[in-house]
Structure formats: C-alpha cells, structure tokens
C-alpha cells in the first residue's frame, strides 16, 4: 500500500499536499466545500501585525497559463487571527496549520512570530520575505542574503516552532539567499513565491493592475519553480517545500524528485477549489503507476546523490 507520509522538521504529515498561502484564506470557505482534514496541512494567508485592507483594485490580471496578483497582504491582523480565526478553524480542521507571516520591518516579523509561537494549532512558521506587492517590506527582505538572514535570526530568537523562510524568485541567485537563511538558523525553506510581472490594457493604455505590477503564478511558472527547488536542494541541508504552478499528483512527484519534502498548490485553487482534494486522492494511483511505495524515497531522487546527506 502506498505510503504518502512525509515529515517536516519532526512533524509527520499524512501526505505532502499543502494549499499555498494566499490561495486558501484561513481554510474556512474551503471547509464548506470538502473535508479539509484530507490535506497534509495548509498555509494560511500572509498575516501581519496590524489588519490590512490590501492594495487598490484591480488586483488581478489574467495571463496565458497563469495570473498576476497584487493583493497587498490583505488580512485581519495577528490578534484577530488568534482570537477569532484559529478557534473557528479548530472546529473544521483537526491538524496543525502553517502560519504564513509577513512584515514591514524585522521587528514586525519577530513580533508576529512571537505571538504565534504560543498557538498550539500552529505547526510551523512560514516567514514570507518574498511578497512582491508591498513597498518597504515583503520582498525587500528576501532579495539580499543579508536581509533574509537578519529576518531569520530575529524570528528564530523568539520561537521554538520550526521556521521556514519563503523565498523570492525575483533574484539573480536564489541559492545565495537560501544558504544565508540556513546559516542564520532557518529550519527549512519554501520556494518559490510569485514572479514580478505586468499587463497593459490596450484600450486604456494603462497597466491592468492598479499597483502597476503583480506576482505571476500558475502553470507558466512550474519549470522555473522546479529549477529553483532543484538548485536550492543541492546547496542546503534543509527540508524544502516546493511550490509554483503545481496542479496535479504528477507535478507533486516531479517537485519531490527535484528535492521538495512537501509540495504546495497555489493558483490552481483559484480556478478549481477542489484541486488539492483531488491531488490527495490521485496520489496513490500515480505513485503506483511510477513504482513508488514510499513517497519519502522520492525526495531529491533526480539528483543521483549529489546533495550533502541530511536527515529530516
Ligand atoms: C499578496 O497578498 O500580495 C500576495 C502575497 C505574496 O505574494 O507573498
């Protein structure tokens, strides 16, 4: 029988399928559609210290094989998430959740993580240093190794939960940022966030998105994400959550062969809200098709032993 379990920093998931932050809210709407306990876990919407309304509209632009978003970290703020959202989630989701954290200063990242550290429902912290849609924060912390390391150190100092840093693809050398996070004490890495892009409305001769640019996600970015997971896996000794254009059980296996321990599904949730449930359902048959009995054996399988040996 297919064993779909994987382990992230000592946390065993029933399967590696994780809806990505920003595409699954705080899980509550999806719980009305299906039993979300079938998921490995999910990563909740990027949460900041204060509530945020996000960017002006339009915030979304369609693209061939993908979409642009410039949501701007809309969220109710960490206190509301803890007081209202997590208790509501506890009634419909009986696993720990990944808390995705964003910030506008190193101190803010640390303050939000310190607050979430006390929440038993939070299995790990995914620290988003890669949101391309806000000024003075988000991605600006993820585009140099030094800044990413500084956030990592600050967060690690205030929590005992595993800290995974979510990396930006909008850099020349993602490996340098990954290595800096590892040296600063990160427990794992998530990659990739969206690729900065834009569209222009031919009639108005203006950018489609009110904020001019947005982050590209969806099928178009899968090969880029896969390449970056492959490169980062070879360079660090940390578990990696791979994401970017994943939409099927076959994609999950491909991401794992590149080096992902778990796989997040993002944009696909927006066009098919049942996609994660269906990928979980399809995994055992696809494993059987490719002769896989234990999913953990797939991690990094495309590297022919080129990675430094590591234990997860
Ligand atoms: C957003 O809220 O703008 C998206 C978050 C992200 O891309 O990190």
């Amino acid at each position: 029988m297919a064993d779909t379990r994987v382990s992230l920093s000592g946390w065993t998931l029933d399967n590696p399928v994780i809806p990505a932050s920003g595409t699954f809210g705080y899980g509550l709407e999806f719980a009305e559609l299906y039993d979300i306990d079938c998921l490995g876990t999910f990563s909740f919407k990027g949460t900041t210290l204060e509530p945020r309304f996000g960017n002006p509209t339009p915030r979304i632009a369609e693209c061939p094989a993908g979409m642009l978003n410039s949501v701007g970290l809309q969220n109710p703020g960490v206190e509301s998430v803890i007081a209202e959202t997590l208790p509501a989630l506890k009634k419909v989701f009986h696993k720990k959740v990944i808390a995705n954290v964003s910030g506008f200063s190193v101190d803010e990242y640390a303050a939000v993580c310190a607050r979430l550290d006390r929440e038993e429902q939070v299995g790990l912290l995914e620290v988003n240093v890669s949101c391309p849609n806000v000024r003075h924060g988000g991605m600006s912390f993820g585009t140099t190794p030094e800044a990413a390391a500084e956030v990592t150190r600050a967060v690690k100092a205030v929590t005992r939960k595993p800290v995974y840093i979510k990396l930006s693809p909008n850099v020349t050398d993602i490996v340098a940022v990954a290595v800096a996070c590892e040296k600063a004490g990160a427990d794992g890495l998530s990659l990739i966030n969206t690729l900065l892009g834009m569209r222009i409305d031919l009639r108005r001769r203006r950018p489609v998105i009110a904020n001019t640019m947005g982050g590209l996600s969806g099928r178009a970015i899968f090969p880029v994400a896969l390449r970056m997971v492959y490169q980062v896996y070879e360079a660090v000794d940390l578990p990696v959550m791979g994401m970017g254009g994943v939409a099927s059980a076959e994609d999950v296996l491909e991401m794992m062969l590149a080096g992902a321990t778990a796989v997040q599904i993002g944009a696909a949730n927006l066009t098919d809200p049942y996609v994660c449930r269906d990928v979980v359902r399809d995994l055992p048959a696809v494993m059987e098709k490719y002769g896989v009995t234990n999913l953990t054996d797939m991690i990094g399988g495309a590297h022919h032993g080129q990675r430094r040996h590591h234990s997860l």
Side-chain angles (χ1 to χ4, degrees):
M1 189 168 142
D3 185 350
T4 60
R5 288 172 301 172
V6 296
S7 178
L8 287 174
S9 303
W11 175 18
T12 300
L13 308 181
D14 295 331
N15 62 69
V17 180
I18 302 174
S21 177
T23 65
F24 209 73
Y26 293 88
L28 301 172
E29 294 83 2
F30 286 82
E32 290 177 15
L33 301 179
Y34 65 90
D35 179 3
I36 61 173
D37 277 340
C38 70
L39 303 168
T41 179
F42 74 90
S43 180
F44 69 47
K45 176 63 189 160
T47 296
T48 50
L49 196 55
E50 304 296 338
R52 286 180 54 80
F53 290 108
N55 289 337
T57 57
R59 299 166 165 185
I60 303 288
E62 289 186 24
C63 308
M67 61 171 279
L68 292 172
N69 92 82
S70 181
V71 171
L73 297 174
Q74 180 179 352
N75 78 95
V78 70
E79 291 305 336
S80 170
V81 167
I82 288 169
E84 291 166 34
T85 316
L86 287 181
L89 180 62
K90 200 168 194 166
K91 293 185 186 142
V92 293
F93 187 57
H94 306 96
K95 299 180 175 182
K96 289 181 193 281
V97 70
I98 295 175
N100 186 287
V101 172
S102 274
F104 293 82
S105 68
V106 173
D107 288 347
E108 180 177 354
Y109 279 105
V112 177
C113 288
R115 194 64 195 83
L116 289 164
D117 180 64
R118 304 203 286 270
E119 298 307 310
E120 177 263 332
Q121 267 169 285
V122 172
L124 68 80
L125 296 163
E126 182 176 62
V127 178
N128 182 3
V129 294
S130 46
C131 173
N133 302 327
V134 289
R135 290 201 181 93
H136 316 302
M139 191 172 84
S140 64
F141 290 104
T143 44
T144 69
E146 296 78 16
E150 191 186 353
V151 173
T152 306
R153 276 192 297 272
V155 169
K156 281 294 291 177
V158 298
T159 183
R160 286 154 301 142
K161 294 194 191 288
V163 171
Y164 282 51
I165 308 293
K166 184 165 178 179
L167 302 182
S168 173
N170 301 304
V171 292
T172 310
D173 184 4
I174 196 169
V175 167
V177 183
V179 169
C181 292
E182 180 179 41
K183 286 189 180 144
D187 299 288
L189 300 167
S190 292
L191 59 141
I192 57 176
N193 205 321
T194 54
L195 289 140
L196 193 61
M198 71 180 289
R199 300 294 314 265
I200 293 175
D201 183 321
L202 291 180
R203 288 187 200 285
R204 293 189 302 113
R205 302 184 186 184
R206 290 287 179 275
V208 171
I209 286 183
N211 208 30
T212 307
M213 297 175 204
L216 178 66
S217 59
R219 298 298 289 155
I221 74 168
F222 182 71
V224 178
L226 195 76
R227 181 266 292 180
M228 289 186 163
V229 167
Y230 188 93
Q231 288 178 311
V232 165
Y233 175 86
E234 282 196 356
V236 301
D237 197 18
L238 297 175
V240 170
M241 282 193 270
M243 72 205 73
V246 176
S248 69
E250 285 84 353
D251 295 342
V252 170
L253 291 197
E254 207 172 329
M255 262 300 174
M256 293 186 76
L257 286 170
T261 295
V263 180
Q264 296 193 8
I265 298 178
N269 289 303
L270 306 178
T271 49
D272 175 6
Y274 296 97
V275 64
C276 289
R277 179 200 67 180
D278 293 349
V279 170
V280 171
R281 180 200 61 202
D282 295 346
L283 253 183
V286 173
M287 286 169 66
E288 191 180 341
K289 179 176 173 190
Y290 291 99
V292 183
T293 47
N294 187 330
L295 211 41
T296 299
D297 294 343
M298 295 290 275
I299 301 168
H303 290 260
H304 306 293
Q306 285 168 42
R307 191 192 200 190
R308 281 183 277 147
H309 179 73
H310 74 122
S311 52
L312 301 178

